[in-house]
Amino acid sequence: MRIALFTLEAAPSAEGVARFLRQHAGQVVLIGRSDPFRPGAGGSLQQGWRHLRRSGPRLLPFLWANYALPGLRPGPTRLARLAAAHGIPLHETRDVNGPETAAAIRAARPDLILSCHFDQIFAAGTLALAPLGGINLHPALLPRHRGPVPTIWALAEATPRFGVTVHRLVPRIDAGGILGQREVALPAASTASAAARALHQAGVPLLTEVLAAIAAGTARETAAGLLPYCPFPPPALLRAIAARGLRLVDAADLRAAWSSLAAP
């Protein structure tokens, strides 16, 4: 099976993506890399201001550690090094539904599109470029915690439950049918950042199982249903998390983010 992988260069998924590529490099024919601070998404300053107005200052260290920090390392990024090592074309994905990406997908001729920690929504026409459509790895137990930062919303619950879901890609955020799901036990004091890293890594074996089932024609899809969308969190939710002594990011997360993006 030929796979087009779309992802971000970000701390939460860096190790998970690296593990997936080590196991499936022979199947990956294209890597699409999105820049979370690309001009089309507002750039770093406009996005920072937007997050500050919407979520307050408590969210900014989480975003900086997990998304801005990778850009501070000199030289080729980890994803670029992995792509070069395995001979996989790396496509800078400014617009996943634009003509440049369509041309890259057609040239790679994937059977399946795989999204892992990707921040753009695939249109139906883009998904149709792969005969088997697309799937996504989401670090939450869908249909709960649909949205961009699910580990923060899970952490906010009185009894947090963490897990990973592989689901079909549709032109709506985290709304496709579920192909596989697994609950993951994490330490009680886990930060939202540590949980995100652990869940992306825990999702790799589940992805492998789902890919094998798709290839064999035995994959079973369960309707996800729809619960409320969980956007970037409001200040009240972040204050409630802090009041319980829980954190979004700590010094260990900074060290883990810096080292994970430097690894081979």
Side-chain angles (χ1 to χ4, degrees):
M1 181 189 299
R2 297 168 63 87
I3 298 169
L5 169 65
F6 287 82
T7 188
L8 293 174
E9 194 92 55
S13 56
E15 184 58 35
V17 168
R19 289 187 184 186
F20 179 82
L21 285 172
R22 284 195 291 269
Q23 296 175 22
H24 298 275
Q27 295 176 277
V28 178
V29 294
L30 176 69
I31 298 175
R33 177 173 63 179
S34 180
D35 177 2
F37 302 110
R38 62 194 179 279
S44 58
L45 290 178
Q46 184 176 339
Q47 283 200 44
W49 175 242
R50 187 185 307 141
H51 286 303
L52 182 63
R53 294 183 62 189
R54 176 173 46 203
S55 300
R58 295 180 189 273
L59 185 64
L60 297 185
F62 172 88
L63 296 175
W64 183 86
N66 288 301
Y67 300 95
L69 187 59
L72 300 181
R73 294 202 70 100
T77 65
R78 185 179 191 184
L79 194 59
R81 295 195 306 273
L82 286 166
H86 294 295
I88 304 170
L90 180 63
H91 170 64
E92 301 297 346
T93 310
R94 298 172 182 84
D95 178 3
V96 75
N97 300 307
E100 291 181 356
T101 300
I105 294 174
R106 290 191 180 99
R109 297 181 293 107
D111 300 304
L112 180 76
I113 290 171
L114 167 60
S115 168
C116 178
H117 201 201
F118 191 69
D119 64 343
Q120 302 182 45
I121 305 303
F122 292 83
T126 302
L127 294 172
L129 295 174
L132 297 177
I135 62 175
N136 178 58
L137 173 65
H138 185 71
L141 296 169
L142 291 175
R144 302 166 70 186
H145 309 142
R146 298 170 49 235
V149 285
T151 58
I152 294 179
W153 287 89
L155 199 66
E157 295 185 340
T159 304
R161 288 182 61 208
F162 296 100
V164 288
T165 303
V166 178
H167 66 93
R168 282 286 179 189
L169 281 170
V170 296
R172 187 173 184 180
I173 297 175
D174 302 327
I178 293 174
L179 295 164
Q181 188 170 83
R182 185 166 296 157
E183 189 161 357
V184 179
L186 298 178
S190 294
T191 64
S193 299
R197 293 195 306 275
L199 292 173
H200 279 99
Q201 293 174 47
V204 175
L206 182 63
L207 264 178
T208 298
E209 293 174 14
V210 170
L211 288 172
I214 291 174
T218 58
R220 294 186 178 182
E221 186 173 330
T222 304
L226 282 181
L227 292 178
Y229 179 71
C230 296
F232 285 100
L237 184 137
L238 298 179
R239 287 195 299 270
I241 290 174
R244 292 165 51 207
L246 301 173
R247 306 182 69 176
L248 307 187
V249 63
D250 62 14
D253 293 319
L254 294 177
R255 292 191 296 270
W258 188 256
S259 62
S260 71
L261 293 159

